[in-house]
Every structure is written in structure tokens, then in C-alpha cells.
Amino acid sequence: LLTEAGFESAEKAAVETLTEMIQSYISEIGRSAKSYCEHTARTQPTLSDIVVTLVEMGFNVETLPAYAKRSQRMVITAPPVTNQPVTPKALTAGQNKPHPSHIPGHFPEFPDPHTYIKTPTYREPVSDYQVLREKAASQRRDVERALTRFMAKTGETQSLFKDDVSTFPLIAARPFTVPYLTALLPSELEMQQMEETDSSEQDDQTDTENLPLHMSTDDSGPEKENASVLQQNCSLAGS
Amino acid sequence: RMNRKKGDKGFESPRPYKFTTHQVVCINNINFQRKSVVGYVELTIFPTVANLNRIKLNSKQCRIYRVRVNDLEAAFIYNDPTLEVCHHESKQRNLNYFSNAYAAAVSAVDPDAGNGELCIKVPSELWKHVDELKVLKVHINFSLDQPKGGLHFVVPNMEGNMAERGAHVFSCGYQNSTRFWFPCVDSYSELCTWKLEYTVDAAMVAVSNGDLVETVYTHDMRKKTFHYMLTIPTAASNISLAIGPFEILVDPYMHEVTHFCLPQLLPLLKHTTSYLHEVFEFYEEILTCRYPYSCFKTVFIDEAYVEVAAYASMSIFSTNLLHSAMIIDETPLTRRCLAQALAQQFFGCFISRMSWSDEWVLKGISGYIYGLWMKKTFGVNEYRHWIKQELDQIVAYELKTGGVLLHPIFGGGKEKDNPASHLHFSIKHPHTLSWEYYTMFQCKAHLVMRLIENRISMEFMLQVFNKLLSLASTASSQKFQSHMWSQMLVSTSGFLKSISNVSGKDIQPLIKQWVDQSGVVKFYGSFAFNRKRNVLELEIKQDYTSPGTQKYVGPLKVTVQELDGSFNHTLQIEENSLKHDIPCHSKSRRNKKKKIPLMNGEEVDMDLSAMDADSPLLWIRIDPDMSVLRKVEFEQSDFMWQYQLRYERDVVAQEEAILALEKFPTPASRLALTDILEQEQCFYRVRMMACFCLAKIANSMVSTWTGPPAMKSLFTRMFCCKTCPNIVKTNNFMNFQSYFLQKTMPVAMALLRDVHNLCPKEVLMFILDLIKYNDNRKNKFSDNYYRAELIDALANSVTPAVSVNNEVRTLDNLNPDVRLILEEITRFLNMEKLLPSYRHTITVSCLKAIRVLQKNGHVPSDPALFKSYAEYGHFVDVRIAALEAVVDYTK
């Protein structure tokens, strides 16, 4: 277009800007034409849709044929048609189920059976409470022991028996620079736990309200005076 | 010589020659690295007599550079006699000599006697000025280097600047110790208004008394100056300071209240202080008086001198009181500290004392209103339990060390007038007292206030407090009329006068007995029932010859529970009458089925088969309301104690019954205790106490004991899974009564012993299983205290090792049970390094348990481990536990 208009060269930035403008102009024509066509309940835009669009965008349609037939236009040859790449066949497993009679044929096919068919297993998962608790307890214990032993082996230790340093290895006491921080702040594990239990808090709260919170049998004062420390605590802990 | 006319309520100043009205304290440089402070003070003084030529002030450990009076250089002498108490005395090296010399040294600088360490000569040019009684301005430049007391620096040894390191400094001390950090008249009775200025690093915050007027940056923007104004007349001893890189929280309920804590602790601060406004509301309501200062600040600092320190409009707390919402046990303790601090704001800070011998009034009132808060917050049961505990404490202390005198009057004489000759220290000054004595003094003071309440009613009591506060309030708003300010000081006589004005009652005998005189009462009671006359013959003896005791004469309430109901009798305890006949209301009858009315009007069915067929008496209580400071040893038969435990509704009575039942190891006692333990309506502390009594009884009955070990089936029923009784349920501590019981029962069970005096294997395995299956994943609360108590339980199960020929303790001859225990302790202690528990409760329990194992000869006795845990840099609770273990080697 620039050469048609008589330019010999253009800066790269200018070309880019122009390209972008053309791009957005063309896509606006397309978007608008599609709207007009949809407005009249069609799916394919017709020539008249385009014309209306161009008119709407302030373009003089009359000038279009003349412009198309202008003498100095440059013809850009169409790019050679390349063969459509063959889409590799999706891996199929088993026979796809044919559509039942009530589903029209143009609907997509069923997915492969392995994606929705269930295979029942015949081994019961362990649900026995005692076994579960036992397992959780020993698992935790093993982890803790392994971890602390590892720490003890790799670091400094103290021992209760002078003759034996390996049976009951104690990780050496190390003073902190700011001792109160570790002592007061909850550990990350506890924080995480708190968040988890928070979700179930709602139920817990209603539970406690039903609990008998009056620990007293002293009726000498009015009923409300008998509230115990714990009662106060309860209501506060939840708030 | 003194011409000043005093009003009828006038206050006789100990310093008739001068009167501070306004003081400026300016600290313009604080060096955390060198732990030093530089600043000046400026005192405005009104001479009250002519020819005043010397001004005495208090100052300790400060280096004084320069003193100017009205801009004229003044000569001064600095002498602190407490630095060298015994003056090269080489002959008499004993405690008595030291104590006397020390008391004399403290007297020599006592501000209440007009003395001081710093003596300033008024320049002669000003003598004429003084004779006209015109104002003097005394300007003192001072510095402080590595203070040993009064001001405490906490400087963690790590990288970064002081703010990043969390370095901070705060004022602290015991009684009037403000002289440790700036020159002043260090007395509670010398009130003045204050202007306080602190220049600190821009990253630091200075917290002090009164309103923060402004903060001004220095030119280079690296420092800023905090200006505080305290317009309410306040004693120097109530001035405080805290400087550090504090995180600041404005109380969401009361905007005039601000909380400060060390970096990273803000979430804990939010939770901990979220309750404070309720305490405010409570005190303001009962005292019908607004909080006297325009603002209130709480500061939580590390290495606190005491857990709670109250100063004018500000309190300094230990940072270890902070806790998150997951912590159960610390919550009530911290709230108590907050409430205590606030009570002292009214009585102690706003209202100050006239002299040291009036201290009991302030401590008494603040302790008493704190008690009222306890009653409202934690309930009547907790309150009565606390009163009983305090009473037991003071009684035990006085019987052991001698009397505690609330209102000592000091004559001019020396040795002979010493009202506390049984003590190894003088009670003439707060600084010469033992700490323990002072703690007991405070305990007694609030108990005596409660006795006064018993006499004149709570309503009058609160009216008296309100009167004191409103007088002080009016006085505090008066400007420059410093003689009016004495209304803000309370004295014993003023307080008693106020009581008699308000109530119209004569409480003089009560005051004479408990305030002017030391000692407690020791009663021995026994009784016989005279069937013919249907009379209860009660014999009450007193021991008033042992140290720490005194004779009681006056009314004594006795409550007798009979078949037909509960009856109160007031006996007159007199000099020679020991026996008292109390007529009974009911005839003995055991076959009639009828409900028995109790004191509170409740009617209950009782199984009367245990009682004596001839007597209608169920149980008897001496002084049930604790209206005498006493110890009662009362004899009644075991079944009476059992009835008292089961049916008396007062928790104190229940606790007394439990204590008495230790001496009656019978199946009936066992049943009564087990029933109480199971009763959910019963106060949780009583149930906890029943656990330990049950363990003792079980041990006494070991040869005849049937069934599983005591409490085991009960614990299983309450806390274990229905389907597999050997596994404890996953933790759920929502019900706090159950939580406390769940913590206590294993500890008590571990005290059980079999016929060989060993802890039964079954019990040990049971506790080990509790540890093994402990699962806190679904719990809303931390289980650190629970786990710590399980370790305590393990330690309780340890019995002395059987040693052959004093063999050396090695791993090879380790008892297999001890091996199991040691394995748990090792694991717990090591896990603490990776996932530390709150306040390191588990480490503390582990250290204690290791010491128990050493002491019982299972593990070689070696203090090395404890020494390493006792080092600086460990959490304070851990250090204390380690130090206790080290000290234990000397025992």
C-alpha cells in the first residue's frame, strides 16, 4: 500500500503500526459483519452484511469497485496451497460405544471406554479403627525416631550414660539468640492444623453449647455466677 | 518550727522544707551497645520553710555531672551508704549484724524521712530568694552506665542493628526504685506532674506514662524524641519507661488503650489483649468510677523482672504471658495478670500511699477488687477455692516463719520496738523485706479486706472505694495546689475513718486483731453427741503459744448438717470456754425415708446406712465462711467426711473432706471419691484433687484392693474408644473440665504402688499407650500441656532402683521398664528441638523426669545436661527447671 501511495521506504516501526491498524480494521469489519448476520438469525454473513458494516464504519462503498480496478495495484500472488497435515489417529482403547437411538448422529462420539468404565476392586480398604490408629501411631513414632536419630547422628549430642552415647542420644541443647520467639509462637505445623480445624469449628461450637458447662454444685450464688473459667474460655476461644 | 497550717485532712509531709511540684525527665541518649543512658532532670521545688539551704534527693548508680539551682552552679555531695553496708566490719560477720546495718543504711537515705543519697547545697545567692518561699528550679545532668538495677537492657547477641535484633530496655524494680535511673524524690507520697522526653533511634518506640504529646524527628531524621505529659500528680516511684522496636496495637474496643509487644508477636498480642476491655468494664462498674488516666498502655517485654508491674497509666508485663488461641492453660493465668495490673491502676498508681505502713490498704484493696473480678469471671467455686488457697498459704507461712504484720508502727527506739523480732530482716522498709514475706503480706492484706467486707457488706465496701477515688479525682484536677494533692494518698487512719463514716460500724476489734497484730489462729475441734440431752458437745481448743499464732476472742460460726436440715450457730469464743453445747434440731431416725434439706435449700436422698444410728449428725463445719484467718483441725468420723464430700455443696468443704479422707483408707472412702470423680456437675478442681487422694488411699489399701488399678476403668470409660478400650480417643479439648481431668488422672495413677512398692506394670503400660496413641491432628487446641503431664506421669511411676553393692549405673543393668520410659523421654526431648512446644513445657517435664531417674539411681547422677540447659539463651522456664535440678544435687 505504501509503494502505491508513492513511498520508497518506511521505518520498521511505521510499518508495524500500519499493519496493526489494518489488522484491527479488518477484524472490526469481520466482528461487525458477524453481528449483523447473527442479528438476522443467520450463521453465514452475506455481502449485504459487509456492505452495511462498511457503511456503518463511514466507508464510502461506491468507491470500492473503482479502487479494486485501479491500475497501479500490486498483485500479491497467493501462497502455494500446502497439503493439510494428517492428524495422527488418537490412541484408541476398546470399541467406542455407538450412539443410542435417541441421540442424533451428528453428536460427537463417545469417548474411549477406559475413561468412564469402572472396574470394581475386590480388596476391602482397611477401615478397622484399631488397626488404623495403631498404624498412624507407629508410623508417626517411626518417623519421629528416624528423624531425631538422624539429627542426633549428624549433630552434637549429649548422653545420659557416660559409657554409651548411641542408645539414648539427646540432641545437644543449643541456646537461642531470642529464646522467647520459639517458645511462644506456634510452629508452622500447629498453624496449619489450626487452619484445618477452623473449617470444622462451626460444628464444634454448637457442640460445646450443649455441653454441661456448669462445673459447680455450689448454689449459694445466683446461677450465672457459677460460670467457671472454662465457660468464659469457651466463648472466647471461638470468637 | 513548722508554721504551715494544715487542713483537717492535711497531710504531714515528711519533707517540711520542700515540695516538688513538677518534674522534667529528659533522656537524650540511649546506647544499647554500651548499655548507657544520658539525660537530665529538672525539679520545681517550693520551699515551705525559710532558711532552706540543703535539698536531699534520691539517686542510685547515676553519675551526676552538674547541678544547677535557678541557673546557678550548686555544690553537691553524693553518698550511697547501701554500697558498703558493713564498713570494713570484720569482727561481727553474722546475718543479724548485717541486717541491722542494712536497715540503718536504708533509713539514712529514706525519702519518707526527708533523706536522700544526693545532697545539694542551695547557693548562698539564693538564700534570700528561699526565705521569701519562692520557687526553685533544680537542674541535674546525669548519666547511667551498665545499670545493675532499675533499668534493664535486653540486647540479643546477633547480626543487625538494634531494632532488627529486638533490643529493648525497660524500667523495673521492687517498690520505689526509680532512683536507679534518674534523680528524684523516690517516695510514693511525693506527688508531682511530669514531662517526660526520650530521644531514641527512629526505629524504636519509647513508651512512658501519660499522654504522648508529640514525636519529633531530629534534623538528620535518624532519631526521634517522644514527648509525654502526665498531668495527674504522680509519685516518682510510679514512673516507668520501655523502649524497643515495639509492634503497636490500638485496642479495637477502647481506642485510648494501646498495646506494645516485641517484633513478630503481634498476632499473639491481639489474642491476649482481646479480653482486657471486659476487665476495664468490670472495675469501672463496681467502683462507679471511670478509669482515672486518659490512656492506658500495656507493654510486653522479655526478661521481665516480675510478671506484672503497674505504673501510672501503664503496665509492664512479661512477654511470656502472650499466647495464641490454641493454648488453654495459659489463658486464665494471663487474664489474671491483666486484671491484677488493672486493679493496681486504681489503687497503687492513681491512689498512692502516705507511708510504708499504709501499704497494706492499697495492696488489700487492689487484691480485693481483683478477687471480685475473679468471682465474676471464673465463678463462685473458683473464687472460694482461691480464697481457701490464699488462706492456707498465709497460715502455713505464719506458722512456719512467724507473723506477718500489716500495719507496723515504728517507735523512735531501736531493737526493743522491733515489731518483727522473729524475722532475720527488718520490716521497716520495703527494701529490707524478704520477697516471700512481701508476697505473703499482700496475700494477707486482701484476705483482711475480705474480712472487713464480711463485717460491713460489699455495698459499703465499694462505697468507701468510690469515695476514696472521687476525692482523689477532684484533687488531681486541681492545679498547682500541691497540698490538695495529699487527697490522692491513702493512709490507714483515713481509710478506717472512711469505713466508719460510710458504714457506721465499728471495725476496730477486727483491725486490732488482723492489722495491728500479726499471727493467725489455730483451732483444734472435736465433738461428742449427748443423746440424752440431744445436744452436740463441741470442744474448740486454740494454740496461741506457738510462733505465728495469736489468740482469738469473738464470734465463730459453726454449721451443723443434721437429718432435718443444716443449721448455723454462732459461738462466742472466749478466754476460758472450751466447750460449747449446741442443741440439735432433729432426733436420730434412720428408717424413715425422707429427703434431707441442705444449706442451699436443695433436698437430696441419701443412703443413711453408714451413719451412727444414735446420732442425727451428718457433718459439722467450723468457720465455713473463712471469716477468721485460721487453720482448723477438726475431728469427725470417716462417714461424716464422706457425707460432707458427697453432699455438701461448698467446694471448700469438699476439698477439706478429701484431705481428711486420706487418713481413712476404706472401701467407703474409695466409693465416695470415685463417685465425685465421675460427677460432671462437680467442680473440676475438686475432681482433680480426688484423683490424688484416691491414689493415696489405693496405696494404703493395696493388700485388699480389688479390681483394676484405681481410675483406670474410669479413664477408659471417659476418654478411650468404645470399641477398643486400650486406645485413647483422638484429642478434643473443647470441654475444658474433661481436659483438666484427662491431664490429671494419668499423673495421679502413676503414683499407685503394688505390694512390692512398685508402680504396677499395667499402669505403666497404660501411660505408655496414652503417649503412643496420642493424636492431636483434629484438635483445635495445643496438646503440649497434656503431653508434658504424661511425661510427669512417667516420672511419677519411677521407684528407686534395686542396687546390688552400689554398682555403677550403666546401660547394661538398666531396668527394662526404665528403658521404655527413657526411650519416650529421649524422643520427646529430641522432638522439642525440631517442633518446640509452647513455653517448652515438654522440655521442662523431660528435664524433671531425667532428674527423677537420676535420683532414683537408674541413670548416673550427672549435672552436665542440666548445666547446659541452665545457660543464658534458653527459654526462662527451661532454665528454671534446669537450675532446680542442679540445686537438687545439693539436697
Side-chain angles (χ1 to χ4, degrees):
Chain A
L1 290 177
L2 286 175
T3 24
E4 274 181 37
F7 289 95
E8 278 182 358
S9 65
E11 271 180 37
K12 205 178 174 190
V15 175
E16 256 171 35
T17 314
L18 269 176
T19 319
E20 265 170 35
M21 283 168 71
I22 293 172
Q23 241 173 31
S24 75
Y25 191 77
I26 292 174
S27 44
E28 178 55 28
I29 295 175
R31 193 195 62 77
S32 194
K34 185 164 178 277
S35 306
Y36 283 115
C37 118
E38 280 172 357
H39 181 66
T40 43
R42 281 176 282 111
T43 54
Q44 297 283 329
T46 60
L47 185 62
S48 57
D49 289 327
I50 313 262
V51 173
V52 175
T53 303
L54 288 173
V55 170
E56 191 64 20
M57 288 171 72
F59 181 79
N60 191 353
V61 188
E62 308 284 293
T63 60
L64 197 59
Y67 178 74
K69 287 173 188 154
R70 71 196 186 279
S71 55
Q72 72 274 44
R73 75 191 156 110
M74 286 175 65
V75 181
I76 302 164
T77 46
V81 181
T82 50
N83 285 343
Q84 277 282 300
V86 188
T87 41
K89 227 181 170 185
L91 200 64
T92 51
Q95 203 67 44
N96 281 10
K97 227 165 128 185
H99 284 160
S101 55
H102 61 273
I103 296 177
H106 62 268
F107 274 83
E109 283 187 357
F110 272 111
D112 288 352
H114 75 271
T115 56
Y116 58 89
I117 281 179
K118 68 168 176 213
T119 326
T121 60
Y122 294 99
R123 229 183 73 207
E124 277 286 313
V126 192
S127 61
D128 182 30
Y129 188 78
Q130 187 170 355
V131 177
L132 271 182
R133 288 293 299 276
E134 178 77 48
K135 210 171 157 188
S138 46
Q139 225 167 44
R140 201 193 49 200
R141 174 166 298 227
D142 290 347
V143 169
E144 285 183 4
R145 197 201 307 256
L147 190 61
T148 52
R149 294 238 156 189
F150 171 74
M151 294 292 289
K153 278 214 176 108
T154 49
E156 231 179 289
T157 54
Q158 286 165 320
S159 172
L160 296 172
F161 296 90
K162 284 222 168 67
D163 56 331
D164 185 304
V165 286
S166 59
T167 316
F168 298 110
L170 295 173
I171 302 173
R174 256 223 191 99
F176 304 89
T177 38
V178 185
Y180 59 84
L181 282 183
T182 43
L184 299 179
L185 287 172
S187 66
E188 262 170 54
L189 188 78
E190 283 177 308
M191 294 292 277
Q192 199 184 331
Q193 213 171 292
M194 246 225 302
E195 277 160 27
E196 278 166 22
T197 45
D198 264 358
S199 50
S200 56
E201 200 175 322
Q202 205 61 44
D203 312 326
D204 288 346
Q205 275 300 306
T206 41
D207 278 358
T208 24
E209 270 156 30
N210 301 333
L211 284 174
L213 281 164
H214 290 258
M215 316 176 65
S216 86
T217 49
D218 182 342
D219 287 333
S220 60
E223 187 82 339
K224 70 172 173 42
E225 285 195 2
N226 275 334
S228 67
V229 44
L230 306 155
Q231 188 169 12
Q232 285 285 332
N233 256 337
C234 251
S235 55
L236 249 126
S239 64
Chain B
R1 283 194 46 189
M2 265 174 36
N3 298 326
R4 198 154 63 94
K5 277 275 173 219
K6 305 214 170 53
D8 45 353
K9 287 173 206 151
F11 162 56
E12 202 161 325
S13 166
R15 278 166 301 282
Y17 46 81
K18 66 181 182 284
F19 223 60
T20 324
T21 57
H22 183 73
Q23 184 160 352
V24 179
V25 177
C26 174
I27 288 181
N28 31 39
N29 194 0
I30 292 201
N31 188 330
F32 280 91
Q33 199 72 56
R34 291 180 43 206
K35 299 187 178 173
S36 67
V37 166
V38 180
Y40 69 84
V41 293
E42 194 174 273
L43 296 91
T44 313
I45 284 172
F46 269 121
T48 51
V49 291
N51 61 47
L52 165 70
N53 49 21
R54 277 186 170 74
I55 297 167
K56 284 188 178 176
L57 296 177
N58 294 111
S59 173
K60 252 179 187 301
Q61 74 182 353
C62 299
R63 178 179 300 174
I64 294 177
Y65 289 113
R66 190 178 178 199
V67 178
R68 277 171 298 164
V69 181
N70 286 14
D71 293 329
L72 291 166
E73 296 292 333
F76 61 92
I77 304 166
Y78 178 77
N79 174 33
D80 181 359
T82 58
L83 289 180
E84 200 189 347
V85 172
C86 289
H87 283 295
H88 304 295
E89 173 65 48
S90 51
K91 285 175 199 155
Q92 302 189 67
R93 288 178 177 268
N94 60 56
L95 192 57
N96 199 25
Y97 181 80
F98 172 83
S99 171
N100 285 334
Y102 185 52
V106 173
S107 284
V109 292
D110 182 12
D112 283 337
N115 294 328
E117 294 88 350
L118 181 64
C119 182
I120 299 165
K121 268 191 190 159
V122 179
S124 51
E125 297 93 317
L126 289 171
W127 287 1
K128 199 158 169 249
H129 184 87
V130 169
D131 287 345
E132 289 160 16
L133 302 183
K134 281 189 184 157
V135 174
L136 292 180
K137 278 205 188 282
V138 182
H139 187 101
I140 304 172
N141 289 69
F142 71 96
S143 77
L144 200 57
D145 221 19
Q146 309 251 354
K148 293 193 177 70
L151 210 56
H152 184 69
F153 282 89
V154 181
V155 185
N157 185 13
M158 58 195 267
E159 294 291 305
N161 65 30
M162 285 300 165
E164 286 160 3
R165 283 153 74 167
H168 54 286
V169 63
F170 58 93
S171 63
C172 60
Y174 166 75
Q175 289 281 338
N176 43 344
S177 347
T178 305
R179 64 183 92 172
F180 279 90
W181 58 288
F182 65 82
C184 58
V185 177
D186 196 7
S187 159
Y188 281 98
S189 59
E190 191 66 59
L191 307 180
C192 66
T193 51
W194 295 83
K195 184 170 188 321
L196 307 155
E197 296 173 24
Y198 307 99
T199 304
V200 299
D201 267 8
M204 297 271 188
V205 178
V207 189
S208 191
N209 320 84
D211 295 307
L212 178 62
V213 186
E214 55 177 349
T215 50
V216 184
Y217 277 92
T218 51
H219 292 301
D220 57 1
M221 297 297 277
R222 286 167 66 185
K223 291 192 165 195
K224 52 184 173 181
T225 307
F226 288 78
H227 293 265
Y228 283 93
M229 277 289 253
L230 182 58
T231 49
I232 289 181
T234 301
S237 317
N238 276 325
I239 296 297
S240 61
L241 165 68
I243 296 173
F246 297 123
E247 295 190 1
I248 303 168
L249 171 72
V250 175
D251 196 291
Y253 301 95
M254 303 169 292
H255 298 301
E256 58 277 26
V257 177
T258 320
H259 311 290
F260 300 86
C261 69
L262 292 166
Q264 299 183 47
L265 299 177
L266 192 63
L268 302 186
L269 183 73
K270 260 183 201 157
H271 177 76
T272 307
T273 56
S274 62
Y275 172 74
L276 189 69
H277 65 283
E278 290 185 34
V279 191
F280 260 98
E281 274 165 31
F282 176 79
Y283 286 142
E284 289 189 347
E285 199 179 311
I286 60 160
L287 298 169
T288 47
C289 170
R290 283 198 59 78
Y291 175 69
Y293 299 100
S294 53
C295 62
F296 181 58
K297 284 146 280 182
T298 67
V299 190
F300 292 82
I301 43 83
D302 189 25
E303 298 183 12
Y305 185 71
V306 282
E307 298 245 283
V308 183
Y311 301 98
S313 81
M314 156 174 184
S315 284
I316 297 182
F317 298 95
S318 160
T319 194
N320 303 332
L321 294 175
L322 296 174
H323 57 85
S324 70
M326 288 188 303
I327 306 299
I328 299 173
D329 301 53
E330 184 60 40
T331 309
L333 301 178
T334 298
R335 287 183 186 180
R336 281 177 168 209
C337 289
L338 291 175
Q340 252 169 349
L342 211 49
Q344 287 175 28
Q345 285 292 312
F346 292 91
F347 295 94
C349 296
F350 180 60
I351 293 193
S352 190
R353 69 180 184 225
M354 215 164 258
S355 73
W356 165 233
S357 55
D358 305 316
E359 169 78 347
W360 77 274
V361 180
L362 291 174
K363 286 292 172 222
I365 299 178
S366 60
Y368 169 79
I369 58 173
Y370 160 69
L372 296 182
W373 169 84
M374 284 253 292
K375 198 192 312 190
K376 190 221 158 210
T377 311
F378 299 125
V380 173
N381 287 343
E382 181 73 33
Y383 173 72
R384 287 187 66 86
H385 169 83
W386 174 66
I387 291 288
K388 174 74 168 54
Q389 220 176 15
E390 297 275 290
L391 181 62
D392 286 349
Q393 249 184 50
I394 183 72
V395 165
Y397 178 82
E398 294 205 36
L399 292 182
K400 189 176 140 234
T401 20
V404 171
L405 185 57
L406 289 184
H407 184 223
I409 295 164
F410 306 103
K414 282 192 174 170
E415 292 287 303
K416 273 186 188 166
D417 295 325
N418 186 358
S421 51
H422 55 278
L423 298 168
H424 63 268
F425 48 83
S426 160
I427 59 165
K428 219 167 162 179
H429 302 284
H431 295 280
T432 54
L433 283 192
S434 95
W435 179 256
E436 199 185 2
Y437 180 89
Y438 185 57
T439 315
M440 287 301 126
F441 174 92
Q442 297 177 54
C443 166
K444 190 169 184 176
H446 82 77
L447 288 173
V448 168
M449 282 297 160
R450 188 178 158 270
L451 298 189
I452 298 176
E453 179 221 83
N454 282 352
R455 189 66 56 86
I456 69 167
S457 87
M458 195 202 313
E459 201 191 331
F460 282 142
M461 202 71 175
L462 294 176
Q463 270 182 39
V464 170
F465 300 160
N466 175 267
K467 201 177 154 191
L468 294 176
L469 284 169
S470 41
L471 276 175
S473 230
T474 323
S476 73
S477 54
Q478 307 266 340
K479 300 244 148 88
F480 308 120
Q481 278 179 288
S482 38
H483 60 277
M484 266 294 287
W485 290 349
S486 62
Q487 296 280 348
M488 299 178 73
L489 303 177
V490 80
S491 70
T492 306
S493 59
F495 173 65
L496 295 181
K497 205 164 173 185
S498 198
I499 285 185
S500 86
N501 284 349
V502 169
S503 71
K505 283 187 182 143
D506 176 25
I507 59 161
Q508 208 49 50
L510 190 152
I511 296 298
K512 189 166 170 277
Q513 182 119 39
W514 305 117
V515 178
D516 295 336
Q517 200 169 308
S518 70
V520 291
V521 180
K522 215 170 157 186
F523 288 125
Y524 297 96
S526 59
F527 77 97
F529 177 66
N530 187 324
R531 195 180 162 196
K532 266 187 205 149
R533 294 164 56 212
N534 197 27
V535 155
L536 161 66
E537 295 169 355
L538 193 63
E539 188 182 48
I540 293 180
K541 282 191 253 173
Q542 281 188 59
D543 168 12
Y544 44 80
T545 49
S546 304
T549 56
Q550 59 163 299
K551 193 192 283 179
Y552 179 78
V553 175
L556 184 71
K557 189 167 147 188
V558 173
T559 304
V560 182
Q561 176 71 46
E562 299 178 33
L563 289 171
D564 282 357
S566 188
F567 302 96
N568 287 329
H569 304 272
T570 307
L571 309 181
Q572 276 303 321
I573 302 291
E574 276 154 28
E575 203 88 14
N576 300 316
S577 69
L578 295 173
K579 299 219 178 205
H580 304 268
D581 285 355
I582 297 174
C584 289
H585 296 73
S586 23
K587 292 260 187 275
S588 63
R589 35 120 223 179
R590 57 183 300 181
N591 296 326
K592 266 189 247 165
K593 266 270 177 207
K594 203 178 152 196
K595 288 197 170 189
I596 291 167
L598 300 179
M599 193 43 128
N600 60 1
E602 204 182 327
E603 298 200 338
V604 291
D605 281 316
M606 287 187 205
D607 173 15
L608 299 174
S609 56
M611 60 182 294
D612 184 350
D614 295 333
S615 148
L617 302 170
L618 283 162
W619 66 83
I620 299 163
R621 298 186 62 205
I622 311 283
D623 185 29
D625 300 331
M626 299 178 279
S627 41
V628 178
L629 303 185
R630 83 309 191 255
K631 177 183 178 142
V632 181
E633 279 174 27
F634 187 66
E635 284 172 35
Q636 60 181 0
S637 10
D638 57 345
F639 69 85
M640 295 175 85
W641 289 118
Q642 287 153 12
Y643 281 123
Q644 181 170 330
L645 173 60
R646 282 171 188 269
Y647 301 109
E648 172 61 62
R649 296 310 191 213
D650 177 12
V651 293
V652 174
Q654 293 171 357
E655 286 170 10
E656 280 167 354
I658 290 176
L659 214 60
L661 282 178
E662 278 179 17
K663 295 185 205 87
F664 300 101
T666 60
S669 299
R670 175 184 172 182
L671 197 62
L673 287 164
T674 324
D675 286 350
I676 277 292
L677 204 48
E678 279 184 88
Q679 226 178 69
E680 278 185 13
Q681 290 83 35
C682 184
F683 185 48
Y684 75 109
R685 287 188 192 272
V686 171
R687 294 167 78 191
M688 284 159 73
M689 207 172 149
C691 293
F692 290 99
C693 182
L694 200 54
K696 277 187 191 149
I697 286 191
N699 290 344
S700 309
M701 293 169 65
V702 66
S703 51
T704 55
W705 188 270
T706 52
M711 293 172 274
K712 182 165 179 242
S713 50
L714 194 62
F715 189 95
T716 309
R717 203 171 336 131
M718 289 171 78
F719 304 111
C720 292
C721 303
K722 296 278 176 299
T723 47
C724 29
N726 62 324
I727 297 181
V728 67
K729 282 184 205 161
T730 56
N731 294 340
N732 177 6
F733 297 155
M734 288 304 282
N735 181 337
F736 294 122
Q737 296 114 296
S738 305
Y739 163 69
F740 280 104
L741 216 56
Q742 187 176 358
K743 274 196 323 173
T744 308
M745 270 159 88
V747 180
M749 279 172 75
L751 293 168
L752 294 173
R753 297 292 179 261
D754 63 13
V755 277
H756 308 295
N757 206 21
L758 297 173
C759 181
K761 186 92 178 165
E762 192 183 351
V763 171
L764 178 63
M765 285 330 217
F766 178 71
I767 296 167
L768 288 171
D769 270 352
L770 289 182
I771 294 173
K772 180 176 169 191
Y773 293 115
N774 179 45
D775 186 344
N776 207 47
R777 282 173 300 180
K778 300 247 165 65
N779 200 358
K780 194 168 163 337
F781 298 102
S782 166
D783 66 343
N784 64 307
Y785 286 94
Y786 173 58
R787 281 187 292 154
E789 297 223 19
L790 287 177
I791 300 165
D792 293 344
L794 287 181
N796 274 355
S797 75
V798 174
T799 44
V802 187
S803 146
V804 188
N805 303 332
N806 277 335
E807 59 182 339
V808 185
R809 282 292 136 202
T810 60
L811 211 53
D812 304 328
N813 56 23
L814 194 64
N815 176 314
D817 285 350
V818 174
R819 186 177 278 267
L820 293 174
I821 294 174
L822 214 46
E823 219 146 86
E824 294 302 329
I825 292 174
T826 311
R827 200 169 47 82
F828 270 122
L829 195 54
N830 285 340
M831 277 310 285
E832 275 280 277
K833 303 287 187 303
L834 307 173
L835 287 173
S837 60
Y838 176 72
R839 291 194 77 149
H840 298 327
T841 44
I842 292 170
T843 305
V844 169
S845 288
C846 285
L847 292 180
K848 284 185 182 156
I850 291 173
R851 180 62 197 141
V852 169
L853 287 172
Q854 291 188 349
K855 232 183 167 175
N856 282 289
H858 295 287
V859 172
S861 229
D862 178 9
L865 179 77
F866 301 119
K867 281 182 181 160
S868 70
Y869 277 98
E871 271 171 36
Y872 183 81
H874 285 284
F875 185 66
V876 60
D877 292 1
V878 173
R879 294 185 70 198
I880 291 174
L883 284 169
E884 274 171 0
V886 172
V887 169
D888 196 49
Y889 285 90
T890 63
K891 284 181 186 161

